[in-house]
Amino acid sequence: GCFVFKPSAKKRRVSQKTAYDFCKRNGDSEDAELQFVTCQSLWNQIKSETEKIQEDLNKQLFDNLVGFLRQSHSEIQEKTTEWTCQMKAREIPTAALVLGVNVTDHDLTFRSLSEVLQSNVTPYIALLEAKDCPGIKNLMQKLMGQLMNCYVDVDSEDEDCVQVSQNRIRCSMASLINWYKSATKKTDSETPGKKRTSSSRHWPSPPVVVIFKDMESFTTKVLQDFIFISSQHICELPLVLIFGIATSPMIIHSLLPHSVSSLLCIELFQTLSCKQHLSTIIDKLILTAQFPFKLGEKVLQVLINIFLYHDFSVQNFIKGFQLCIVEHFYSQPLSILCCQLEDAKERVNSLSHDQCENIRRLPSFRRYVENQASEKQIALLTEDDVLKETTKKLLEDLDVYHENYVTVLRCLHVFTSSLPKYPLGKQIRELHCACLENKVWETEEYESSLQLARMLNKSDLVTMLQQCVEIFVSSSGKEFDKAVEKLKHFLTRFQKLEAEAFQEQDESVSSQKELQKKTDLYHLQKALLELNESRRSKKLTKFELLRVEVVDYMDSLVRSYLVPADWKTLHEILYFNTASVLREHLNAAPRIALHTALNNPYCYLKNQALKSDGGSISNKAPDICIVYKLHLECGRLINLVDWLEAFATVVTAAEGSSTDAASSDQVDDIIHARFIRAVSELELLGFVKPSKQKTDHVARLTWGGC
Amino acid sequence: MPNIAHPAYSAATLLRLESLVPCRESQVSTLLSIFGERQQFSFPSIFIYGHTSSGKTYVMKTLLNTLQLPHVFVNCLEYFSSRLLLEEILIQLQSCSSETDQTSHVPCDTFNDFVRLFKQAVARQELQDQTLYIVLDRAEQLREMEANILPAFLRLQELTDRNVTVVLLSEIVWELFRPNTGCFEPLTLYFPDYSIGHLQKILTQNHPPEYSADFYAAYINILLGVFYMVCRDLKELQHLAALNFSKYCEPVVRGEANERDTRKLWKNIEPHLKKAMQTVYLREISSSQWERLQHEDGEPGQVKGLSAHTHVELPYYSKFLLIAAYLASYNPVRTDKRFFLKHHGKIRKTNFMKKHEKTSNHLLGPKPFPLDRLLAILYSIVDNRVAPTANIFSQITSLVTLQLLSMVGHNDQLDGPRYKCTVSLDFIRAIAR
């Protein structure tokens, strides 16, 4: 595998160039243009959708944080005269924000957080990163730079610039306080109109928010010093700290000693776990008929695996999704039809002959044709108009299929998610993957979950049925009126059963009473036998029968609606299924790539001369490959002289035995130079390094070096 | 008759001073006798040390302010570089004179400049007939500045030839300050810790206006009974007293008990204070959350402390990487073959092993290991095949940034990086579950 991204497909800044790239691949400029436009509009839709989801998910957290920030200083400012407030130590209000280990997503969260704060609480926000603050001096510099710049942005320019440059020289807390005083005073004395707008959002003395983005990476000393200094001036400078924490809030205690943490008033805030976040994204982006573009089972699996196994990063998941879209539109010429149904129908009408041929070449379409009558087959294969009409119909089918699929999938998930041990997975995404992979009703897991479903108790079953009814009613599919009716019918029958059950209970009680009446041993025996008999024959109660009926009905729904997409005609247009490409791009293996390149240069250079059956070392390969192969045969320390000799032998091998005698005692200068260059190239790549243990030896750094 | 007596100051001033610095009378009178009268030259430098919150800063501040002695008060931690520190002293000197409000900014890079500018400032202020005091709080920071700063401050009187005394305040002893090259020895003065009686007296002094001093004293007595074992920090105690006082008053406010019903009040407050010791004192929950809980009469169990959230969710391979790192850190290299290879040889017990068996590896702390070993262990503990993809390598780096692993030695990535696992066994157990 190679881990070089194809930049042409990803670059979208220069749209014309990208469109050009698209058509270079397909040779048809018009379609390429259309493909590009479709791709972009689809991506924009998805992007705005994801942003909206993100906003919704963060809303709760941000509201809490804003509330905390507002309260933190106003409380103390209000009642300064009270005894308790005078006696209490002024602590620095601190929000510990636990964000989870997906560090790549944090940037976005912080950006939107600072936007929210800027518009709701305070204009004075500083974002600090550990790598910028190795010492307290750098921290203060960075802090003041950010705070004062934001102030300049708000107000007039030239006058403040002087002030800023002057303050740069003395970056101490005192100058920060002076700046704060002048800044707040100025906003007060502004023009009344402007003041009203600003004061509606901010207070007369808005807090200064300092955000530590990555708490874990800060050195203890810097944090301690900063907290200590600012606690000395908390009365003059209303400071609020926000700690961005990736692991657990315990880190605060391990970073700060008690004497310092006692200066803080720490409250904890937690974001949604990233797994929940992913579920929401999948729910809104993939399990919906809203977007025409779909992911195939393998592709989805790759994306989810990267998420669960490697990074927990929702951003990366969305990036991967974007790559799928681009790759699909780039590689599939028929992807122009991957748009909303109405547009797709129009586009089918204007398809060129080549495109029609493309459709005919689709495996799923061929399968479809083979199942038709012979005249229809000929018409489909020869007449473009017939083909277009059929395509339209098939696309419509596909659209309906998607709508129904999602609804039935959700219903099935209602059932499977409450079964013990979750044979079909707890999450709906697992169920989705199972359904996409192959016919779900043929799998063992499905069988066992049906078995389990047949053992559900009544109350669970009834609530599930109610949930299913809700799902069906809220879905836009037209075919579910019958299903709703059927389910409602089931529900009423359950209610009836309940009523009957009461009666039955009465009956059984009465029979028991009868039993008690009989004192005669013979009669008693007879009655007991009868009872036993009746129980055995009545193996299934009415409830059990009904339960089986319900499960069977669900099974029939699954069989008719959850057909894997691979079985649908024309699925290639909407589904992106080349997982290998995605894996190559997103989960690259640099070590393996490097090894292949050096061990088998033909793989990348495609030079016929280099084609070898492995094992032997060809002298036509680049020098570095020869040196590399030779070094693979050595141990931890490599003798340079031996290495050089081996190299010379390989290089001169093909030149015949004539020069053999000469080279045996004196190595050619040119070969020597080539060798030295190749070795230093290897050193640059990190395979060897000069060793201190023995002179004229180098140490291997990789693979079995120990 | 005041405990502090000095001919230079009026009895009234001294009485006021005494009321302001309870339990520190002897130290203050020593200081006063060192200072002498206003115009007299004092000892060039005084070094005051004592434990946290033993009143060093407070006593110095009150003393200088009450007696209206000319002084400069600087915190060395806040002015972290020598330049900032020197400039701050000059600025405060200028504003001390109060002739001109505008403090013109004078750059002062070296101590030589400082001495020159200092002489100018003092000359302008007609301070010649009074001793000027320069107090450097948190003086231990001076050791981290340039080597000449500390010795120069110690003999500032001699260098400037002015009537000036430098007072250093610190939490550590003078022996840790003394530079190798030797310097002028300051006069050292020790502030002992407050005893429980002292604490009681000082805390009771600031009783709330609504309640009698006796009532508050009884409360403080209970508070100290609970907290004295763990905390002798006056500031912290004061903070805790203020936080919990409303709860103590509750029965009185409700009319269930009168102010003298100490037993009843004790029963009410004692469990509450113990809870406070476990939560607020350790900053597990913040003081504002604590107050809110008091108002709502809720159980503190509702708000989970910081330590309750120990669980860290990690991606699948990160978990295995961390476990592999832990194994590599705490297992000796020679056992690797035995543990991670399917067909290992016989387990030979050598003398060497027996000798070391007694000292647990956990007591010795994590040992560094090379990257290759980490990966090798990873491959053997993960069930299915793991491709060494870029994602795996980037996960190692991100574990380092999360401080779960730490990189040892040089930071040359190519040159066989070595790591250490920094998490505890409990953490690994929680992950491995």
Side-chain angles (χ1 to χ4, degrees):
Chain A
C2 153
F3 67 106
V4 180
F5 282 81
K6 281 181 193 146
S8 61
K10 288 200 83 176
K11 242 182 238 165
R12 337 186 101 245
R13 261 165 266 147
V14 196
S15 70
Q16 280 204 330
K17 187 181 177 289
T18 324
Y20 171 73
D21 282 333
F22 262 72
C23 60
K24 234 185 4 186
R25 170 86 164 235
N26 302 317
D28 189 343
S29 66
E30 231 169 87
D31 275 356
E33 192 82 48
L34 196 58
Q35 260 175 337
F36 179 67
V37 171
T38 325
C39 172
Q40 221 165 18
S41 76
L42 179 68
W43 170 240
N44 286 337
Q45 268 177 41
I46 288 174
K47 203 171 142 203
S48 63
E49 180 76 25
T50 51
E51 273 161 12
K52 219 181 84 208
I53 294 167
Q54 221 112 38
E55 216 170 272
D56 290 350
L57 288 178
N58 285 333
K59 194 173 178 302
Q60 177 74 36
L61 174 76
F62 287 170
D63 284 353
N64 288 346
L65 259 177
V66 166
F68 168 74
L69 291 179
R70 289 201 164 152
Q71 206 189 10
S72 55
H73 277 285
S74 61
E75 215 171 60
I76 304 162
Q77 278 158 4
E78 272 166 23
K79 37 180 186 179
T80 38
T81 48
E82 262 181 49
W83 174 80
T84 41
C85 280
Q86 280 176 351
M87 293 313 292
K88 251 187 324 188
R90 277 293 293 272
E91 293 169 316
I92 310 173
T94 307
L97 191 58
V98 181
L99 293 158
V101 294
N102 46 337
V103 188
T104 31
D105 292 358
H106 293 184
D107 242 11
L108 202 76
T109 317
F110 279 122
R111 212 179 308 145
S112 48
L113 174 65
S114 60
E115 265 165 34
V116 168
L117 294 184
Q118 212 129 40
S119 60
N120 287 319
V121 186
T122 169
Y124 311 122
I125 296 170
L127 275 161
L128 297 177
E129 262 180 288
K131 66 169 191 277
D132 299 330
C133 314
I136 180 76
K137 195 175 170 185
N138 312 72
L139 186 140
M140 291 300 285
Q141 248 164 12
K142 199 88 195 160
L143 177 70
M144 294 180 70
Q146 285 194 21
L147 285 176
M148 292 179 180
N149 269 339
C150 86
Y151 172 62
V152 171
D153 284 347
V154 170
D155 258 296
S156 57
E157 301 270 323
D158 36 355
E159 185 206 351
D160 295 310
C161 281
V162 184
Q163 206 182 336
V164 167
S165 61
Q166 206 181 49
N167 280 332
R168 272 270 150 75
I169 306 160
R170 284 182 51 78
C171 48
S172 68
M173 214 60 185
S175 42
L176 196 63
I177 291 163
N178 282 337
W179 160 80
Y180 182 76
K181 271 184 193 148
S182 66
T184 43
K185 212 185 282 167
K186 250 180 212 165
T187 38
D188 278 353
S189 59
E190 264 172 16
T191 49
K194 207 175 176 184
K195 189 187 168 188
R196 216 176 299 135
T197 51
S198 63
S199 62
S200 63
R201 295 186 294 138
H202 310 307
W203 294 279
S205 56
V208 176
V209 179
V210 181
I211 302 176
F212 294 88
K213 271 180 163 180
D214 40 355
M215 174 83 174
E216 280 91 352
S217 313
F218 276 92
T219 49
T220 320
K221 176 117 184 24
V222 171
L223 276 178
Q224 280 181 28
D225 286 359
F226 179 71
I227 291 170
F228 185 81
I229 293 171
S230 43
S231 81
Q232 302 254 304
H233 297 283
I234 186 73
C235 298
E236 297 140 286
L237 187 73
L239 205 69
V240 182
L241 306 181
I242 295 180
F243 292 154
I245 295 172
T247 49
S248 80
M250 282 285 280
I251 195 84
I252 296 176
H253 288 315
S254 56
L255 272 179
L256 303 174
H258 181 250
S259 61
V260 176
S261 67
S262 66
L263 300 171
L264 302 175
C265 171
I266 308 165
E267 265 183 58
L268 194 66
F269 296 88
Q270 263 180 315
T271 49
L272 212 60
S273 94
C274 41
K275 281 182 184 168
Q276 270 169 296
H277 196 158
L278 179 79
S279 308
T280 326
I281 292 279
I282 288 183
D283 210 48
K284 294 270 165 65
L285 287 189
I286 291 165
L287 296 176
T288 170
Q290 193 188 346
F291 302 111
F293 175 77
K294 305 276 173 204
L295 291 179
E297 186 265 331
K298 288 218 182 69
V299 172
L300 186 58
Q301 204 69 59
V302 167
L303 285 181
I304 290 175
N305 280 351
I306 288 177
F307 177 86
L308 289 179
Y309 285 3
H310 292 297
D311 57 5
F312 269 176
S313 164
V314 178
Q315 284 313 306
N316 281 356
F317 183 85
I318 293 169
K319 285 266 154 60
F321 191 64
Q322 185 185 7
L323 181 67
C324 292
I325 296 174
V326 173
E327 194 62 42
H328 178 67
F329 280 90
Y330 185 66
S331 58
Q332 175 61 262
L334 286 170
S335 56
I336 48 166
L337 299 179
C338 182
C339 53
Q340 296 303 324
L341 186 64
E342 292 77 39
D343 298 335
K345 277 182 183 170
E346 266 175 43
R347 286 180 192 180
V348 168
N349 282 333
S350 53
L351 279 184
S352 65
H353 178 69
D354 286 346
Q355 288 283 38
C356 291
E357 285 301 314
N358 279 334
I359 292 178
R360 286 182 189 121
R361 251 177 258 138
L362 292 178
S364 67
F365 189 75
R366 275 203 228 143
R367 219 164 35 219
Y368 170 77
V369 170
E370 278 159 22
N371 290 334
Q372 303 296 317
S374 55
E375 308 98 67
K376 187 85 190 288
Q377 275 186 6
I378 293 164
L380 277 173
L381 291 177
T382 52
E383 289 170 49
D384 283 355
D385 287 339
V386 178
L387 177 79
K388 282 175 186 172
E389 283 310 307
T390 324
T391 311
K392 271 190 237 173
K393 210 180 95 298
L394 287 171
L395 282 175
E396 235 168 273
D397 282 353
L398 215 50
D399 194 55
V400 171
Y401 158 76
H402 283 140
E403 262 171 32
N404 298 341
Y405 176 88
V406 174
T407 317
V408 176
L409 189 75
R410 282 181 203 281
C411 284
L412 183 60
H413 180 241
V414 167
F415 273 85
T416 54
S417 63
S418 58
L419 296 176
K421 283 190 186 169
Y422 311 107
L424 275 170
K426 198 177 182 181
Q427 304 282 342
I428 194 163
R429 57 167 187 262
E430 294 165 75
L431 188 65
H432 178 58
C433 283
C435 292
L436 279 180
E437 197 180 1
N438 41 35
K439 290 178 182 165
V440 72
W441 56 89
E442 285 171 358
T443 57
E444 269 176 48
E445 291 87 8
Y446 183 76
E447 205 52 52
S448 63
S449 48
L450 275 195
Q451 294 268 328
L452 289 169
R454 289 197 188 101
M455 286 184 271
L456 285 169
N457 66 15
K458 187 157 70 186
S459 60
D460 283 354
L461 204 58
V462 170
T463 48
M464 279 177 207
L465 282 178
Q466 275 159 351
Q467 279 173 357
C468 288
V469 169
E470 271 166 36
I471 290 168
F472 278 130
V473 168
S474 63
S475 86
S476 52
K478 288 114 198 159
E479 296 177 25
F480 291 122
D481 294 344
K482 249 168 63 188
V484 170
E485 233 167 70
K486 184 97 179 165
L487 289 179
K488 279 189 175 158
H489 182 59
F490 280 135
L491 278 173
T492 50
R493 278 170 69 188
F494 272 118
Q495 276 161 5
K496 262 188 210 159
L497 260 186
E498 232 161 279
E500 279 170 29
F502 271 117
Q503 287 176 357
E504 257 178 48
Q505 237 174 20
D506 287 344
E507 271 172 34
S508 64
V509 167
S510 63
S511 69
Q512 293 256 319
K513 272 179 187 163
E514 263 173 49
L515 240 167
Q516 281 165 355
K517 268 184 215 165
K518 278 165 191 162
T519 44
D520 183 2
L521 191 67
Y522 171 73
H523 281 287
L524 183 70
Q525 218 169 20
K526 206 176 165 188
L528 279 174
L529 272 175
E530 261 172 34
L531 257 176
N532 258 352
E533 202 84 328
S534 69
R535 261 186 210 152
R536 206 171 295 152
S537 65
K538 220 172 57 178
K539 236 183 192 167
L540 297 172
T541 60
K542 275 184 187 165
F543 164 68
E544 281 161 341
L545 281 173
L546 190 56
R547 187 166 60 186
V548 169
E549 215 174 306
V550 170
V551 173
D552 286 347
Y553 180 68
M554 280 314 294
D555 187 37
S556 73
L557 278 181
V558 168
R559 276 165 201 269
S560 50
Y561 291 112
L562 293 188
V563 184
D566 294 355
W567 292 79
K568 285 283 167 190
T569 317
L570 293 187
H571 71 90
E572 289 95 337
I573 293 177
L574 305 185
Y575 281 80
F576 177 68
N577 226 344
T578 34
S580 57
V581 175
L582 200 66
R583 210 175 289 134
E584 221 166 72
H585 285 191
L586 295 184
N587 205 2
R591 270 194 177 194
I592 293 173
L594 208 54
H595 180 74
T596 339
L598 291 172
N599 204 29
N600 184 15
Y602 174 74
C603 181
Y604 290 106
L605 294 178
K606 303 288 180 210
N607 186 344
Q608 285 303 321
L610 296 176
K611 218 170 180 180
S612 68
D613 9 282
S616 66
I617 305 172
S618 142
N619 65 337
K620 293 194 183 63
D623 290 344
I624 187 170
C625 295
I626 300 171
V627 170
Y628 176 78
K629 275 195 179 177
L630 288 171
H631 112 286
L632 283 183
E633 292 162 8
C634 300
R636 214 181 91 69
L637 286 174
I638 306 168
N639 189 333
L640 275 173
V641 179
D642 293 349
W643 202 3
L644 171 62
E645 238 151 55
F647 178 74
T649 320
V650 170
V651 170
T652 51
E655 280 149 38
S657 52
S658 58
T659 49
D660 228 2
S663 68
S664 59
D665 39 301
Q666 190 69 48
V667 178
D668 189 4
D669 275 351
I670 293 174
I671 291 178
H672 197 161
R674 276 165 65 186
F675 174 73
I676 287 172
R677 190 176 65 181
V679 170
S680 56
E681 275 170 356
L682 271 194
E683 193 183 333
L684 190 71
L685 287 173
F687 286 101
V688 293
K689 70 165 182 184
S691 158
K692 279 169 201 148
Q693 294 169 12
K694 275 181 179 176
T695 47
D696 73 15
H697 278 65
V698 288
R700 259 183 86 173
L701 290 169
T702 48
W703 293 306
C706 34
Chain B
M1 189 58 201
N3 287 327
I4 310 169
H6 198 274
Y9 307 102
S10 70
T13 328
L14 290 175
L15 259 181
R16 195 152 55 85
L17 179 64
E18 195 186 332
S19 72
L20 284 172
V21 286
C23 315
R24 280 285 173 257
E25 291 87 3
S26 67
Q27 282 81 10
V28 168
S29 62
T30 320
L31 275 174
L32 279 182
S33 44
I34 296 167
F35 287 176
E37 288 175 33
R38 279 170 186 271
Q39 74 284 358
Q40 290 170 341
F41 269 70
S42 170
F43 204 77
S45 50
I46 304 168
F47 181 81
I48 299 176
Y49 69 103
H51 221 261
T52 321
S53 83
S54 49
K56 304 177 294 291
T57 313
Y58 176 73
V59 165
M60 269 325 283
K61 252 190 189 155
T62 348
L63 181 69
L64 294 170
N65 280 329
T66 329
L67 300 182
Q68 287 172 329
L69 299 169
H71 68 275
V72 169
F73 208 102
V74 192
N75 190 328
C76 296
L77 188 64
E78 192 180 334
Y79 300 95
F80 38 82
S81 72
S82 63
R83 186 175 156 190
L84 279 176
L85 183 71
L86 299 178
E87 282 175 3
E88 177 64 23
I89 293 173
L90 290 174
I91 286 172
Q92 282 198 24
L93 261 182
Q94 278 177 344
S95 60
C96 210
S97 64
S98 73
E99 285 164 8
T100 47
D101 276 334
Q102 273 154 335
T103 51
S104 57
H105 181 76
V106 228
C108 173
D109 281 321
T110 61
F111 212 87
N112 197 21
D113 287 341
F114 175 69
V115 170
R116 184 171 51 81
L117 292 164
F118 181 80
K119 278 186 192 166
Q120 282 176 13
V122 173
R124 227 186 296 148
Q125 280 178 357
E126 297 108 28
L127 281 174
Q128 283 97 332
D129 55 342
Q130 287 188 57
T131 316
L132 176 74
Y133 295 94
I134 297 179
V135 187
L136 301 173
D137 200 355
R138 293 230 163 196
E140 60 267 17
Q141 293 292 320
L142 289 177
R143 297 180 303 170
E144 265 138 61
M145 296 176 189
E146 288 86 336
N148 67 333
I149 297 286
L150 179 64
F153 266 123
L154 288 173
R155 51 204 316 164
L156 190 66
Q157 201 175 67
E158 184 189 328
L159 288 170
T160 55
D161 199 20
R162 294 290 182 276
N163 190 359
V164 59
T165 291
V166 176
V167 184
L168 304 171
L169 305 180
S170 175
E171 284 176 14
I172 55 177
V173 291
W174 167 247
E175 278 66 35
L176 295 170
F177 275 78
R178 199 177 283 139
N180 294 333
T181 48
C183 66
F184 182 83
E185 290 285 316
L187 196 72
T188 54
L189 188 65
Y190 176 58
F191 274 44
D193 283 352
Y194 289 113
S195 70
I196 188 163
H198 289 158
L199 288 173
Q200 169 93 28
K201 194 174 164 195
I202 297 166
L203 287 170
T204 322
Q205 219 174 31
N206 295 310
H207 66 89
E210 302 94 340
Y211 295 95
S212 70
D214 284 346
F215 178 65
Y216 193 67
Y219 167 64
I220 291 297
N221 206 1
I222 296 170
L223 185 90
L224 281 176
V226 175
F227 280 104
Y228 187 69
M229 293 297 286
V230 291
C231 173
R232 293 173 192 197
D233 188 331
L234 185 63
K235 265 186 228 148
E236 187 69 23
L237 284 170
Q238 206 160 36
H239 181 68
L240 287 165
L243 273 185
N244 295 306
F245 187 60
S246 66
K247 179 81 178 174
Y248 183 71
C249 297
E250 236 171 43
V252 181
V253 174
R254 271 191 264 138
E256 288 169 8
N258 65 10
E259 288 194 12
R260 291 162 168 276
D261 218 346
T262 36
R263 195 177 157 68
K264 205 167 192 176
L265 291 172
W266 178 76
K267 262 196 171 165
N268 175 45
I269 193 73
E270 219 244 341
H272 187 73
L273 287 180
K274 285 206 166 136
K275 220 165 266 168
M277 188 161 76
Q278 284 158 13
T279 52
V280 190
Y281 172 63
L282 295 174
R283 293 301 186 277
E284 285 289 300
I285 65 177
S286 72
S287 3
S288 58
Q289 277 173 325
W290 181 253
E291 277 189 321
R292 239 175 288 148
L293 279 176
Q294 271 182 11
H295 283 298
E296 291 152 16
D297 249 351
E299 280 292 298
Q302 288 166 352
V303 180
K304 271 197 193 164
L306 293 181
S307 305
H309 303 266
T310 46
H311 183 63
V312 179
E313 238 182 324
L314 285 173
Y316 186 77
Y317 282 136
S318 293
K319 281 184 193 173
F320 276 103
L321 274 171
L322 205 55
I323 293 169
Y326 187 81
L327 292 174
S329 262
Y330 286 99
N331 283 337
V333 184
R334 73 206 143 69
T335 57
D336 279 0
K337 208 172 175 185
R338 202 171 98 209
F339 289 143
F340 303 117
L341 221 61
K342 278 200 178 106
H343 308 288
H344 56 77
K346 261 187 199 165
I347 301 163
R348 272 170 282 135
K349 268 198 180 173
T350 54
N351 284 335
F352 181 74
M353 262 178 88
K354 266 182 200 156
K355 203 167 73 188
H356 281 273
E357 250 166 358
K358 275 171 201 159
T359 51
S360 163
N361 276 320
H362 289 282
L363 292 177
L364 296 172
K367 292 184 191 64
F369 53 85
L371 176 66
D372 285 336
R373 188 167 164 231
L374 171 71
L375 290 177
I377 295 179
L378 174 75
Y379 296 147
S380 79
I381 59 173
V382 179
D383 286 337
N384 41 357
R385 255 189 82 246
V386 195
T389 58
N391 276 327
I392 297 272
F393 294 117
S394 72
Q395 263 169 285
I396 296 174
T397 325
S398 64
L399 285 176
V400 172
T401 54
L402 295 179
Q403 306 270 295
L404 299 174
L405 297 183
S406 71
M407 193 128 102
V408 184
H410 41 247
N411 33 10
D412 183 9
Q413 280 287 340
L414 286 180
D415 200 9
R418 293 162 78 79
Y419 299 92
K420 241 184 201 181
C421 182
T422 54
V423 295
S424 65
L425 182 62
D426 290 336
F427 190 91
I428 290 290
R429 280 218 181 102
I431 277 178
R433 208 170 286 143

